[in-house]
Amino acid sequence: MGAYILRRLLLILPTLFGIMLINFTLTQFVPGGPIEQVIARMEGRGDVFEGFAGGGDGAQMDQSGDERYQGARGLPPEFIEELEQQFGFDEPPAQRFIGMVWDYLRFDFGESYFRSISVIDLIIEKLPVSISLGLWSTLIAYIVSIPLGIRKAVRDGSRFDTWTSGAIIVGYAIPGFLFAILLLVLFAGGSYWQVFPLRGLTSDNWDQLSLLGKVADYFWHITLPVAASTISAFATLTLLTKNSFLDEIKKQYVITARAKGVAERRVLYGHVFRNAMLIVIAGFPAVFVSVFFGGSLIIETIFSLDGLGRLGFEAAVARDYPVIFGTLFVFGLIGLVVNLISDLMYVWIDPRIDFETREG
C-alpha cells in the first residue's frame, strides 16, 4: 500500500503541471488582460469589457495607438512598457510559465495585481469559508443519506420508501441557488421569519463572545448555506446507497446467511454494508469536489460569504492572473488529495482490495 500511495503522490505534480499549463495557455488568448484593465480604469470605463462591447470604437482606438492593447490610444509607449514590467509581461510566455511553476513548487503564489496583498494571504483568508461549506455539506449529506438509503432498501416498495422517494426527487430537481433564495425568503427575514442571519459567517461582536458563544454563532450563520449546498448531494447519495444495498441484498451470500439464521442486523451491517458502501465511497470525491468547487461561487454570492469561489470569480473578471492561478492550484491540489483519501477509504472498508497489484 505504501508504494501505491507514493506513486499517487508523485503523480500529483505532473497532474498539477498539466492543469496549470492548459489554463496558462488559454489566458494568453483571452482578451482584456490586466494591462487593458488598468487602461480602462484610467479612462473611467471601470471595466475593459465595456470597450469590447462597443466593438468599433475599440478597434478604432487600437489603430491609432498600441495595437496590442485595447484602448491604448494616446498613451506613451514608455507607460505601456512600465505596465508590462510591473505585471511581468516583458518576458516571453514560456519564461513566465517556467518561473510561475518554480514559484508554485515553493508555494510562492506572488502578489495580487490589484489588491496589494500576497495571494497566499488571500487564500488563507478565504479558505475557511469554502472549507466550512464543503466539509459540513459533504459530512451532513453522508450522515443523512447512508442511513436513509439503507432504510429505503430494507423497506423497498413500502409507503415510507414511496414518500421519501418523492421528497428526494423534489430535492434533486430544485437547483441549489433557487433553494438558497427560498431559504433566505423564508428564514432570513426576506418575507417571513427572521430566524437566521442574512449574510456572513460570523456576527459583528464575534470577538466579544465566549468560546461556546462563538461555536453557536458559527453554526447559526452556516446553517442556511450548508442546507443549500447539501440538497442535491443528499438526494444523489440516498438513491445511490439504496440501489447499492438492493443489489447486494439479492446476492446469494445474503440468502445463505439468512438461511443459516444469522440475525438481520448482522446480515445488513456485517456483510452487506461493507460491499454496498464501496460504490458510495467511490462517489465521495465527486460529492466533495462538486460542493467545494461547483456550488461555492453561487452559495457564497447569495449568502455574502467571502470564500475561494467568490475570490476566483472576481479575479477572473479583473484578470488578476496570480489570484486565478493560485486558487486554481489550491483547488486542483485539494481535489487530487481527496481522490487519494477516497482510495484509502476503499481499503479501510474492504481490506480485500489491494492497490499494490494495480498497474501504473
Side-chain angles (χ1 to χ4, degrees):
M1 190 63 187
Y4 172 76
I5 295 175
L6 180 60
R7 256 196 331 265
R8 288 291 301 271
L9 290 175
L10 293 176
L11 282 174
I12 288 178
L13 290 179
T15 304
L16 285 175
F17 178 86
I19 293 173
M20 303 306 295
L21 177 61
I22 293 173
N23 286 274
F24 181 87
T25 304
L26 290 176
T27 59
Q28 306 307 306
F29 302 99
V30 176
I35 293 181
E36 285 92 337
Q37 292 286 350
V38 173
I39 295 172
R41 294 180 183 182
M42 292 178 58
E43 296 177 346
R45 287 187 278 128
D47 194 291
V48 70
F49 301 108
E50 296 180 11
F52 291 124
D57 294 339
Q60 184 179 0
M61 292 188 335
D62 284 347
Q63 290 174 2
S64 55
D66 194 328
E67 295 182 356
R68 291 174 299 170
Y69 302 112
Q70 176 79 11
R73 181 183 61 176
L75 295 177
E78 296 80 9
F79 178 74
I80 300 298
E81 292 177 1
E82 184 178 343
L83 286 178
E84 289 178 339
Q85 293 177 359
Q86 177 183 345
F87 293 118
F89 292 156
D90 55 332
E91 300 175 350
Q95 185 176 344
R96 283 190 282 123
F97 178 74
I98 293 174
M100 183 184 72
V101 170
W102 172 245
D103 290 337
Y104 278 27
L105 288 176
R106 297 176 289 129
F107 286 90
D108 179 8
F109 300 136
E111 186 171 303
S112 169
Y113 285 159
F114 305 111
R115 299 186 184 223
S116 299
I117 183 174
S118 67
V119 175
I120 190 67
D121 289 340
L122 270 175
I123 292 176
I124 293 174
E125 178 185 341
K126 315 296 183 183
L127 191 59
V129 174
S130 297
I131 288 181
S132 292
L133 283 178
L135 184 61
W136 286 115
S137 298
T138 306
L139 183 62
I140 292 174
Y142 270 81
I143 290 176
V144 174
S145 299
I146 291 177
L148 180 59
I150 294 174
R151 187 166 180 81
K152 285 174 63 63
V154 173
R155 302 183 61 180
D156 182 42
S158 66
R159 295 181 61 182
F160 172 81
D161 180 45
T162 302
W163 72 261
T164 52
S165 295
I168 289 172
I169 292 173
V170 171
Y172 184 77
I174 299 177
F177 74 90
L178 187 60
F179 187 60
I181 295 174
L182 178 64
L183 291 176
L184 285 178
V185 172
L186 292 178
F187 302 111
S191 298
Y192 295 91
W193 304 283
Q194 180 68 55
V195 180
F196 297 99
L198 183 61
R199 59 175 58 88
L201 200 58
T202 57
S203 300
D204 295 334
N205 62 338
W206 166 264
D207 295 331
Q208 303 172 7
L209 298 175
S210 63
L211 178 60
L212 186 60
K214 288 181 178 180
V215 173
D217 183 75
Y218 168 77
F219 283 106
W220 183 45
H221 281 76
I222 205 69
T223 299
L224 294 187
V226 167
S229 301
T230 306
I231 183 170
S232 59
F234 154 76
T236 304
L237 277 173
T238 302
L239 293 178
L240 181 64
T241 303
K242 176 192 173 182
N243 294 333
S244 180
F245 259 77
L246 282 177
D247 184 58
E248 289 295 323
I249 287 174
K250 297 175 182 177
K251 291 185 177 179
Q252 185 62 43
Y253 74 90
V254 177
I255 299 174
T256 302
R258 285 172 172 170
K260 290 181 178 180
V262 179
E264 185 67 15
R265 185 176 182 83
R266 181 171 177 79
V267 171
L268 288 177
Y269 294 99
H271 299 280
V272 176
F273 183 83
R274 174 175 293 178
N275 296 326
M277 281 298 98
L278 289 177
I279 190 172
V280 178
I281 296 301
F284 175 81
V287 174
F288 180 81
V289 170
S290 64
V291 174
F292 188 79
F293 301 161
S296 60
L297 169 60
I298 299 176
I299 300 301
E300 287 172 12
T301 301
I302 292 176
F303 290 98
S304 300
L305 300 175
D306 205 5
L308 281 180
R310 192 173 177 182
L311 174 66
F313 173 75
E314 293 174 351
V317 172
R319 296 296 191 266
D320 197 343
Y321 291 157
V323 178
I324 293 174
F325 292 127
T327 53
L328 184 67
F329 183 87
V330 172
F331 279 155
L333 182 61
I334 292 176
L336 292 170
V337 171
V338 167
N339 273 282
L340 176 58
I341 293 175
S342 176
D343 286 348
L344 298 180
M345 291 179 70
Y346 262 124
V347 178
W348 176 63
I349 290 178
D350 191 348
R352 295 173 299 174
I353 296 178
D354 183 13
F355 286 110
E356 295 287 357
T357 60
R358 291 178 56 177
E359 296 285 338

